[in-house]
Amino acid sequence: MKFSWKNLLLWSLPIIVISFFLWQGLFAPIANENKTNLTNSRMTYGRFLEYIEMGWVKKVDIYDNGHTAVIEAIGPEIGNRMQKIRVELPASAPELITKLKKNYIDLDAHPTKNNTALWSLLGNLFFPLLLVTSLTLLFRRSNNATGGPGQAMSFGKSKALFQIEAKTGIIFDDVAGIDEAKEEFEEIVTFLKKPEYFTAVGAKIPKGVLLVGPPGTGKTLLAKAIAGEANVPFFSISGSEFVEMFVGVGASRVRDLFKKAKENAPCIIFIDEIDAVGRQRGTGVGGGNDEREQTLNQLLTEMDGFEGNTGIIVVAATNRADILDSALLRPGRFDRQVNVDIPDFKGRLDILNVHAKNKKIDTNVSLSIIARRTPGFSGADLANLLNEAAILTARERKNQITLKEIDKAIDRIIAGMEGTALIDSKSKRLIAYHEIGHAIVGTLLKDHENVQKVTLIPRGQARGLTWFTPSEDQSLISRSQIKARIMGALGGRAAEEIVFGESEITTGASNDLQQVTSMARQMVTRFGMSTIGPMSLENEDSNPFLGRGMGNNNEYSDEIAIKIDSQIKLIVDECHKKTRDIIKNNRVIIDKLVDLLIEKETIDGNEFANIIKQYTKVPQKI
Ligand code: ADP
Ligand code: ZN
């Protein structure tokens, strides 16, 4: 069939007419309602207010006569990237405008009328236009003898496919705390800079490096640093972006990516979240995913298709290497694997030093104390911590970050937003007894971590909090240390029981009890710390979220299962009894501490320990 405009019209006119009515009937109402739906991410109004408080909101656009806002924000929950998020506003929100003003946030309101007209006009035109365009493309293609099947669905081409940075500007000095991974990568920079050293002796340059580690540990940063050090361009794409609606789009993106990369070699290709495409083929709930498998196959083809010495190095990142398709890990593909872990004390200190460089920090602040207080923080958490502290400092119009802001920022990151304390009431007393219960048990047991502070100021979900100084070495924990932790966790509930009576105990201990049960269970099933004997009865990675019975591949009999349960109960009962004894025996000092806590709302660890020492011997023999 030869292409002609007459032909095109003949074919497309009825379709346009039908689809126009379809569009009007089906889509237009939705389109009109959702005219402000510029983004798919949503957030509750309450969370939005918290984001404002934290200084994470940069801009607010109000639509729909004040019913909807689209905000631009940056925050740890949304990957520390600037994102547009939609918020439904309550019917009357007078405090919002004042809040926005107070925080100097850019606010803009958009009238609804013109928008509606414009949107419905665009809506009405959009579908027919799309149809004509795609029909034209189809006709073109069928007239074009060279157009292979690969071009049938080249929608993928019209999108922004991947990010290119000519110069990342990141150097190895910007990356800290992950020295082994860095060393590995320094060699790769030499590959890129002086390939002849390697080719001269017949060595093949690696094509792919897989970075494995939890989020925020600096994998992207490291990949950018190679590009920056070798002074080559950086191409990046995220695996999750491949999972698209149209089959074939992912594959065509991979093709385009490698094509562009080859034109720009030497260069780095970075594939973030490779597990989104690289999961083992033919697995997953609901069968395989065609699109994903095609994308993966294309990736494998591309990696095989270029010679090792062209100067392209593909760096991929994942936090789960175990679920990757084994084909990806074969020689000539991602045959180098580099682990990037959550930093230890020294690592955290190094990372803090990197991020403290461009900040004004009071000379009294010791970064090593911060590093000590933050076990489990990733590099991104630490960067975020210093940034939060800087924001708090700026908000108070101070010109240097002090320990106070840093402390606040740490608490915020660990336990969430600070609320306001309750006014004096029965529940405030109950919470005070609960927290002092944790704190006193923790202080009197010699195997328990020290109390860092006790507070009645709520944070996140918690209505009061007792903080303990975390010990650095969490790798070997003794039986008596676990028991001390169980007793510490039971301290809150035990205090409620003894002071207020069995019938007054509250739901406030639910989180504590979860921890208690999980610790006791692990003592029995994983650490061999019960009379069942030194046996491992549960796999470390049996999924804690599925509950027992599902996804559970433990191989013990029902008889053992009953024993496990009774051993767990035995441990918890014994700890509970001892904890109650501690509370009973120290009732006088507990009452005093509660009065002090209600008056001051926060008692710091040293003060707490000093008061206890005046009244009783620490640690007591329990
Ligand atoms: P990942 O890719 O592992 O999720 P990123 O590389 O995106 O983590 O880290 C996010 C940010 O956190 C970085 O831009 C950097 O500011 C900070 N960061 C993370 N790890 C480190 C590190 N090891 N050294 C210095 N900064 C780090
Ligand atoms: Zn508690």
Side-chain angles (χ1 to χ4, degrees), residues 434-435 438 489 492 508-509 512:
H434 180 109
E435 294 309 326
H438 284 306
D512 299 334

Side-chain angles (χ1 to χ4, degrees), residues 198-393:
F198 298 88
T199 47
V201 292
K204 265 207 172 150
I205 293 173
K207 286 182 188 175
V209 184
L210 186 65
L211 281 173
V212 185
T217 42
K219 299 183 292 297
T220 314
L221 194 69
L222 202 51
K224 284 191 176 176
I226 317 178
E229 289 278 345
N231 211 0
V232 301
F234 181 77
F235 289 73
S236 68
I237 191 158
S238 167
S240 58
E241 288 167 34
F242 286 133
V243 187
E244 288 254 352
M245 200 162 50
F246 298 113
V247 175
V249 173
S252 92
R253 280 192 186 182
V254 171
R255 218 171 14 245
D256 290 347
L257 173 64
F258 277 83
K259 187 162 160 271
K260 258 265 150 17
K262 276 180 208 156
E263 288 163 12
N264 288 284
C267 67
I268 298 287
I269 296 181
F270 179 65
I271 307 176
D272 204 358
E273 301 178 71
I274 193 166
D275 41 298
V277 276
R279 202 167 298 173
Q280 277 165 33
R281 281 168 286 191
T283 59
V285 182
N289 174 334
D290 252 5
E291 166 61 3
R292 195 169 56 72
E293 290 188 6
Q294 284 196 16
T295 311
L296 175 57
N297 289 339
Q298 188 65 39
L299 184 64
L300 296 175
T301 314
E302 292 292 346
M303 287 201 68
D304 294 341
F306 68 86
E307 273 309 308
N309 300 341
T310 40
I312 301 178
I313 291 182
V314 188
V315 182
T318 177
N319 57 357
R320 307 233 12 216
D322 53 322
I323 57 168
L324 292 183
D325 198 297
S326 54
L328 269 172
L329 308 174
R330 256 181 232 146
R333 292 167 182 166
F334 293 101
D335 44 5
R336 286 206 175 194
Q337 195 165 318
V338 178
N339 288 322
V340 188
D341 267 328
I342 294 283
D344 57 6
F345 168 73
K346 187 176 167 301
R348 294 196 298 275
L349 184 57
D350 292 346
I351 295 173
L352 285 167
N353 270 313
V354 167
H355 289 276
K357 260 187 217 145
N358 58 359
K359 299 202 170 54
K360 286 210 176 112
I361 301 184
D362 191 296
T363 43
N364 288 330
V365 174
S366 139
L367 292 182
S368 71
I369 290 182
I370 308 177
R372 193 68 65 220
R373 276 198 59 191
T374 46
F377 273 46
S378 68
D381 291 331
L382 293 168
N384 183 27
L385 159 64
L386 287 184
N387 191 47
E388 281 292 317
I391 290 174
L392 288 171
T393 310

